[in-house]
Amino acid sequence: MPSNRQVRLNGINIQISEQGEGPLVLLVHGFPETAYSWRHQLTALADAGYHAVALDQRGYGASDRPDGIDQYSIFHLVGDVVALIHELGEEQAVVVGHDWGSIVTWNTALLRPDVVRGVVGISVPPLPRGPLPPLTLSERKFGADFYQNYFQEPGVADAELDKDVASSLRRIYCGVPAAEPSPGFAGKYDEPETLPSWITEDELATFVEQFTASGFTGGLNYYRNLDRNWEQTAAWQDVPITPPALYISGEQDAVRMMYPFDDDKRAIVPNLRGVVDVPDCGHWTQQEKPDVVNAAILAFLQGL
């Protein structure tokens, strides 16, 4: 079973869940999730001879939640990953991310390739720095009510999602488009009568307890730095991600339609070792199809 503890990184407390001994594999969750989203991977990696560590990223779960929006930039998030690798006594790790965690791990491999033995991105592919700020591009492509643009106004999405945490998470995780959508993010989805097979009521209750305690503001602040990140990473325009890489995505993941893994994205990962398309799988990849994801990660690790 994984054990939990807190570590001090970059002036804040970060909660980690860890299991096993061996080469370090760091697991980085997305929105709205926590380290608990990697519960199926921690044991599988530990059993295969790895030190598997999942963190609650800053703003999430039992980790600290700095007040300032500017405390959630890509440099802060990558800084936490690098500091954690060193705090755990290692010079390098394989970094695995899902959703926003993928953005963090791709950027860790970009900004600090010296600490990354290999990088696995799940759902979100490596995203080249575009010609315009991301929120300008998303509004042009998807409209002003696109969720990433909706998230920008402090307090608005926070209040919507906090109002009924259990309902918000049920809607978001199940992703059943609403017949009559209500305003907001979770309101785009109907609340299902029963949960999908990949998550139990007890597992959902764990996430509900965590987000009831933490709120959603920390995670939303990641989106509020999208344009700031673009401005501050100008020096990395067109720089390739050089560590060995693997990309995994569910065939029914809506992210595939928003950000298809096309030639532009492949071009920035010259050491791409594979692409895994997971059948009958939506966005919550490592929770929906843990056996497929675990096998893909382990095969990639064995090839390093």
Side-chain angles (χ1 to χ4, degrees):
M1 289 285 291
S3 61
N4 298 325
R5 63 186 172 106
Q6 293 218 325
V7 293
R8 188 81 177 167
L9 307 175
N10 301 320
I12 66 172
N13 295 313
I14 294 289
Q15 177 92 352
I16 64 170
S17 183
E18 62 186 331
Q19 189 172 353
E21 296 180 357
L24 178 60
V25 180
L26 197 57
L27 304 164
V28 189
H29 68 82
F31 175 85
E33 293 174 292
T34 63
Y36 187 64
S37 67
W38 299 105
R39 58 197 177 279
H40 305 298
Q41 284 67 48
L42 287 165
T43 299
L45 287 164
D47 288 348
Y50 295 94
H51 181 195
V53 178
L55 74 157
D56 287 346
Q57 292 204 79
R58 62 171 60 206
Y60 284 93
S63 292
D64 283 353
R65 303 184 292 279
D67 289 334
I69 291 173
D70 63 355
Q71 297 299 297
Y72 297 85
S73 78
I74 196 63
F75 292 109
H76 289 87
L77 306 178
V78 169
D80 291 342
V81 170
V82 174
L84 179 55
I85 292 169
H86 293 150
E87 174 67 22
L88 294 169
E90 301 292 346
E91 295 298 318
Q92 287 191 315
V94 173
V95 290
V96 182
H98 169 257
D99 184 80
W100 247 106
S102 288
I103 298 174
V104 174
T105 54
W106 291 124
N107 276 278
T108 303
L110 173 70
L111 301 174
R112 289 298 306 272
D114 56 308
V115 302
V116 176
R117 280 186 62 223
V119 56
V120 181
I122 304 174
S123 180
V124 178
L127 300 172
R129 184 177 181 274
L132 292 169
L135 294 169
T136 300
L137 290 174
S138 62
E139 183 171 348
R140 288 184 183 180
K141 188 173 182 180
F142 303 114
D145 63 345
F146 184 58
Y147 74 97
Q148 295 179 12
N149 298 75
Y150 164 68
F151 286 167
Q152 294 307 305
E153 185 63 34
V156 176
D158 322 48
E160 177 217 335
L161 298 175
D162 283 340
K163 185 178 178 182
D164 186 337
V165 173
S167 176
S168 294
L169 291 177
R170 288 178 83 93
R171 291 168 188 263
I172 294 167
Y173 290 166
C174 297
V176 179
E180 298 179 7
S182 56
F185 179 55
K188 297 184 188 308
Y189 308 105
D190 278 331
E191 185 166 351
E193 293 183 10
T194 58
L195 293 175
S197 60
W198 60 267
I199 188 167
T200 67
E201 291 287 354
D202 285 346
E203 288 169 336
L204 178 68
T206 298
F207 285 118
V208 171
E209 181 181 5
Q210 291 174 328
F211 279 96
T212 299
S214 70
F216 290 87
T217 298
L220 291 167
N221 283 341
Y222 289 38
Y223 293 92
R224 294 168 185 154
N225 278 278
L226 284 169
D227 280 0
R228 180 183 282 111
N229 295 341
W230 180 85
E231 293 167 4
Q232 295 183 344
T233 55
W236 288 270
Q237 182 77 41
D238 301 325
V239 173
I241 296 167
T242 55
L246 175 69
Y247 176 55
I248 303 171
S249 76
E251 289 184 348
Q252 296 163 7
D253 189 344
V255 172
R256 283 169 75 113
M257 285 155 265
M258 289 191 289
Y259 307 111
F261 191 49
D262 53 24
D263 290 342
D264 288 346
K265 297 178 184 68
R266 287 175 182 268
I268 63 170
V269 276
N271 202 357
L272 183 67
R273 300 286 179 91
V275 174
V276 178
D277 296 314
V278 185
D280 302 316
C281 184
H283 177 65
W284 313 101
T285 330
Q286 77 272 23
Q287 296 189 73
E288 292 186 44
K289 299 291 182 181
D291 291 347
V292 177
V293 170
N294 294 349
I297 293 172
L298 288 170
F300 173 73
L301 291 170
Q302 289 156 10
L304 295 177

